[in-house]
Structure formats: structure tokens, C-alpha cells
Amino acid sequence: MSTTDPYSHPGPVPSGGFLPPDDAFPPELPTGPEVLVNVPGEGLSGWARKTTGVLRRGWRQQLAIFAITHAVPGFLLYTAAVAGLITLWNSDAGQVMLVSDRVAEGVGTLVLTVVVLMLLTALPFRLLGYAAATWSAVRQAAGLPAPVGRALAYGLRRVPAMLAWSLVTYLITAVAIVSFFLCFATIFSFAALVPTVIALGYFLMIAGMVGPAVLFERRKALQRAFDTVNNAFWANAVRLAVPGVVLYLAYRYNHVIEAAGAVLGFSAGVSDQLGLGLAVAAVTASAAFEVPVAMLLFPSVLVTYLERRAVVARNLRTPHLLAELG
């Protein structure tokens, strides 16, 4: 029987007198060494190599994606927050707050509410960035082009599902952390702080795995995230420890309320123009700092998730991931 493809190259028809089925000559998927999935046996060194490879191959696209989805929304939200705080500080309520504990508590509750609303507003943009960066990373690992525009278009299609699962995860995390703290703490003791921080780290690991589970598996994302973390807790903890510490330090010292407080403190003894310049500099630095943090966190979470999946599905490779993303 002839092995010539009659569809692509005119040639002899198979001796049986019929043409082969449409799937007789399927399109070839990209082949080559596996550069994305840390297959079993490669260990921590393989994980580090695959993680840095994601960043090395796609840092330009990731820089553009996270600048659009993290830095720009962050700048707008931070600007609105700082402007609101400065307005509040210069208002009558701000002056009364200095001498009235009741007013200070009310203002503190208001500021906390605004911070939570800011985080909820920023969440879809961040999920868009992570979805677009995932599509780009898998395409680049397969040796295919990954333009930023197409990556963002893919991310937009997947944001609703990611947002729904993420909100459920964060709600469960908030309830669990508050309950955990109340169970261990007393009115005169903060002994529950250490176990609460450990529990928070555990739930943040699960929250990080929800996004890839939604993108690749598309069902039971929360259960898959729990299984991914629990099946190899210490391995995942070691791999995510460094980006986790960096994320904590970044948001601990880069918090917009602290930056705004520093600006307000400086503005008491300087001119309005200098105070405005300090505010703009603080907001710009806070927004720009979002990008390197995201570029460190994204490949670490992605490669960790894929490594855990490869333990269960030994034949998992980049072409399979490419097909799963769609």
C-alpha cells in the first residue's frame, strides 16, 4: 500500500481503491525537548531550570502583559486611593479624627472597606494577566508565536471562569483564617498569630493553584487545587517559599496606605507642589513594583502546578497543554 498522502501530494491511490480517512495524516504537533513540564525525576533543579526558562523565553511578552494588567490598573487605583486620603485628611472629619477615637474608628473602617473594594476591582485585571501569560508561556514552550494581543484576547475569554472560582476560594480562605484566629486567640493574647500565618500560607498556595486548574482542566478547579497542594505539600511549600516571601515583602512594604501615609506626613512641612510630586512618585513606584513581583510569581506557580500534574499523568507534555488551553 502506498504511503503517499493524496491530499497534499498527488500520487497513487492506495491499492484498496479508497482514500484514507481524514485523520490518517494529522497535523504534526511541535516536538523537541520538554522545556515546560518538570517531569518526575528531575527534582528541584529541574523545577528551577524550567521556571527560569519560562521567564527567559517570554520576559518581553510577560513584561508587556503585566504592565497592561497590573501596573496600569494599579496606578489608577493607587492614584484614586491617595487622592481620597489626601481629601479626607484635609477635611473636617480628618481634623476631628485626631481628637476623637470614635471618629477615628469610623474612618479606619471606611479606609479598610475602600482597600477591600480596590482589591476586588484589581482582581479581574490580575487574572487577565495570569491567563494571558499562561497562554503565551505554553505557546513559546511549543515553539509557536505568542503575540501579546492574542494572549490578552485569550485571557479575556477565560477571566469570567477564573474570577468566579477565585472569589469562591478567597471567600473560603477569609472565613477559614478568621475562624482559625478566633479559635486560638484570646482577648489578651496574640498567640494565634503564628499558626494563623501558616494557615494563610497554606490557603494562598491553594488559591495560586486554582487559576492553572481553571485554565487547563476546566472543572472542579477548587478540588483540583486542594489535591495538587495536599498530595505533595512540602514539595510545593519548598518551591513556592521564595516567591511567597517576596510577595509578602512586596505587599508589606509597598502597601498603598503606607505610601499614602508617608506622603501625608511629608506634606505637612513642604509646599503643595513638592507634596504632589511625592504623591506621584509613591504611586508610580507602587504600580511599577507590581510587574517584577508578578513576573517572579507567575512562572513559579505555573511550573509547580505542571510538575504535580506530571506526577499523576506521566505522559503530560507541552503539546497536551497546548491542546487543553484551546
Side-chain angles (χ1 to χ4, degrees):
M1 178 182 293
S2 173
T3 59
T4 304
D5 180 4
Y7 294 107
S8 301
H9 306 284
V13 176
S15 57
F18 58 87
L19 294 176
D22 293 339
D23 59 352
F25 300 93
E28 293 187 2
L29 292 173
T31 58
E34 182 53 52
V35 296
L36 184 59
V37 180
N38 192 35
V39 297
E42 293 187 329
L44 190 59
S45 61
W47 175 89
R49 186 169 58 253
K50 301 297 173 61
T51 301
T52 55
V54 172
L55 189 59
R56 185 182 63 254
R57 286 188 302 272
W59 68 268
R60 293 180 180 84
Q61 288 83 355
Q62 293 173 32
L63 182 64
I65 289 171
F66 291 130
I68 294 172
T69 61
H70 285 59
V72 173
F75 177 81
L76 296 176
L77 289 172
Y78 292 168
T79 300
V82 171
L85 284 174
I86 292 176
T87 302
L88 178 63
W89 181 266
N90 295 326
S91 66
D92 294 338
Q95 302 304 315
V96 175
M97 180 179 60
L98 298 176
V99 297
S100 174
D101 292 339
R102 184 175 60 84
V103 175
E105 291 178 0
V107 172
T109 302
L110 176 62
V111 172
L112 180 60
T113 303
V114 171
V115 170
V116 173
L117 292 177
M118 285 177 56
L119 294 176
L120 292 177
T121 303
L123 181 59
F125 295 98
R126 281 158 172 71
L127 295 177
L128 168 61
Y130 289 126
T134 300
W135 184 88
S136 177
V138 174
R139 296 270 300 181
Q140 289 169 338
L144 300 175
V148 173
R150 288 183 59 189
L152 291 174
Y154 170 83
L156 283 174
R157 296 196 302 269
R158 305 310 305 275
V159 162
M162 292 184 68
L163 181 61
W165 280 107
S166 296
L167 289 176
V168 172
T169 304
Y170 292 143
L171 180 60
I172 294 175
T173 300
V175 172
I177 293 301
V178 172
S179 302
F180 196 85
F181 181 81
L182 293 178
C183 287
F184 283 87
T186 65
I187 191 171
F188 298 111
S189 173
F190 289 94
L193 184 59
V194 172
T196 301
V197 170
I198 295 175
L200 179 60
Y202 169 74
F203 279 101
L204 287 180
M205 289 171 57
I206 293 175
M209 296 299 168
V210 167
V214 173
L215 293 176
F216 291 105
E217 302 180 64
R218 306 193 183 190
R219 63 186 185 89
K220 299 181 179 180
L222 188 56
Q223 178 182 338
R224 292 292 302 124
F226 269 98
D227 293 341
T228 301
V229 172
N230 294 330
N231 289 343
F233 174 78
W234 289 113
N236 291 326
V238 169
R239 283 154 175 75
L240 298 178
V242 173
V245 170
V246 171
L247 182 66
Y248 168 76
L249 293 177
Y251 283 99
R252 173 64 182 84
Y253 295 104
N254 190 46
H255 202 282
V256 63
I257 301 302
E258 295 178 354
V263 171
L264 293 174
F266 283 122
S267 63
V270 300
S271 64
D272 292 340
Q273 290 184 348
L274 181 56
L276 180 61
L278 290 172
V280 172
V283 167
T284 304
S286 297
F289 204 61
E290 297 273 357
V291 176
V293 171
M295 292 180 67
L296 172 66
L297 190 63
F298 160 69
S300 302
V301 173
L302 176 63
V303 176
T304 301
Y305 165 80
L306 296 179
E307 181 183 27
R308 291 301 101 204
R309 278 198 64 192
V311 172
V312 178
R314 295 276 177 163
N315 63 338
L316 183 70
R317 297 296 184 269
T318 299
H320 302 96
L321 301 173
L322 195 64
E324 287 180 352
L325 286 179

